[in-house]
Amino acid sequence: LAQSSAESLLEAKMMSSEMAGWNPARPGGDEHPKIAGWIDVAICEQVLAEPLDILACLDGSAPSTAGFTYLTDDMLQRERSMALQVLHIYSDDKDYLPPSCRKDAIYAFAESMLISSALPDRYKLIWKSRTAKVGAMISQVIDESKPNFVCMGFYGRKGKKDRDECNGFLIGSNLYDVLCHGKCTAIVIKDLDAGRLPVKRPAKFVVSVLLNKAATKGFLDALRLSKPGDEIHVVYVRTGKIQGCDYTTALRQKYDAFFSGLEGGVDSVWRHFHGRRTGFHVVDAQDSQTFSETILAYADGIDADFIVVGSNSLRMERGKSPMGSVAMQLCMTFDRNIIVSNWCEHEEKFRRSSLA
């Protein structure tokens, strides 16, 4: 491809556009629907260049504690520019809680973990008395502090919600509120023990790619959370209706260009992500399998640590769930951890203006 990563990406986009029959000068200036789901290269690089800033929600439950331990024992120690905010929302009238789940005990635990992992200027402890719904308060902190990731347990101290035989465990109300209103990517932890998480060992990400920008953002988020030696499997499920479609070829070229930039790019943005083991995989859905079941089977087959799916804020503005049915089902049925990548069209407009 091209000598630099940016040129490589642009060249691949042009080749893919020709294959998809897209003409950027078509009347009205509208993008072809097959291309409209691709984020501009310059914006991709801008996203990748931003330092990690993660908000960890800690409530004393096993999943939130496992997620916090993963952040302190792995990510905070290897990502020297990363900042970590720790949020705990408490109610003084809940005197029935076990000692380990009370605010002072959680504060002491969090502080001891942070002191042993990073200097004080890289983390912040935020303890708030509950004045509204917990999910709404978390979303408010996200609006105020503007992290690019929030880490939460799939469920809180009350335990898992009821299980649907077809769709898995239902999403808790606080997590659902954050997925709806929190303007950042959510790292949803289901593992009950930090020993299952990829602490000081290679991680395996499965990124489910569809024809939207949120899926592309999912790949960028997997990159940002990864380290050298990690595996990032970009998986595109091909159904019988679209087998042989030229979009499959265009999509493969797009991600091959990303991978080429990661391995051979000289630009500082891409150089930071050298050493990842990446691959684009087209998986044909069986007649008896749904889209989500195909992704789950692939993730289980490689013992993936994370499945990455996309969400789009515009869905909320249209009165829909922030995630489509496939992403929602994956979130409920996968028994490991989920990353729900948030893509906001309004943010894209802001990024475009800042690049102008």
Side-chain angles (χ1 to χ4, degrees), residues 20-53:
W22 174 61
N23 180 3
R26 63 185 296 187
D30 294 333
E31 291 180 309
H32 192 287
K34 293 177 181 177
I35 307 299
W38 297 5
I39 302 174
D40 287 351
V41 174
I43 295 179
C44 289
E45 293 182 339
Q46 188 184 66
V47 170
L48 292 174
E50 292 176 349
L52 286 173
D53 188 346

Side-chain angles (χ1 to χ4, degrees), residues 278-290:
T278 55
F280 180 82
H281 307 273
V282 177
V283 181
D284 291 325
Q286 303 299 315
D287 292 339
S288 59
Q289 283 184 322
T290 64

Side-chain angles (χ1 to χ4, degrees), residues 178-238:
V178 172
L179 294 178
C180 288
H181 305 292
K183 296 181 177 63
C184 68
T185 291
I187 306 169
V188 183
I189 302 297
K190 289 190 175 183
D191 290 342
L192 305 182
D193 182 0
R196 290 200 72 192
L197 285 157
V199 177
K200 295 181 172 56
R201 68 164 176 84
K204 295 180 181 179
F205 299 84
V206 170
V207 184
S208 173
V209 293
L210 297 173
L211 314 187
N212 56 57
K213 294 179 179 179
T216 306
K217 177 63 160 40
F219 171 69
L220 300 178
D221 285 336
L223 269 180
R224 299 179 71 191
L225 295 172
S226 68
K227 59 184 178 294
D230 285 358
E231 299 179 18
I232 302 177
H233 298 246
V234 177
V235 179
Y236 179 67
V237 175
R238 185 170 55 183

Side-chain angles (χ1 to χ4, degrees), residues 53-57 85 87 89 126 128 134-152 174-175 177-187 342:
D53 188 346
I54 301 180
L55 174 68
C57 300
Q85 304 173 71
L87 173 65
I89 297 173
I126 305 171
K128 286 181 172 289
V134 172
M137 291 186 67
I138 295 173
S139 297
Q140 182 180 4
V141 173
I142 292 172
D143 283 341
E144 293 170 351
S145 59
K146 294 180 170 48
N148 33 49
F149 293 90
V150 58
C151 182
M152 297 181 64
N174 293 333
L175 174 58
D177 282 347
V178 172
L179 294 178
C180 288
H181 305 292
K183 296 181 177 63
C184 68
T185 291
I187 306 169
N342 181 281

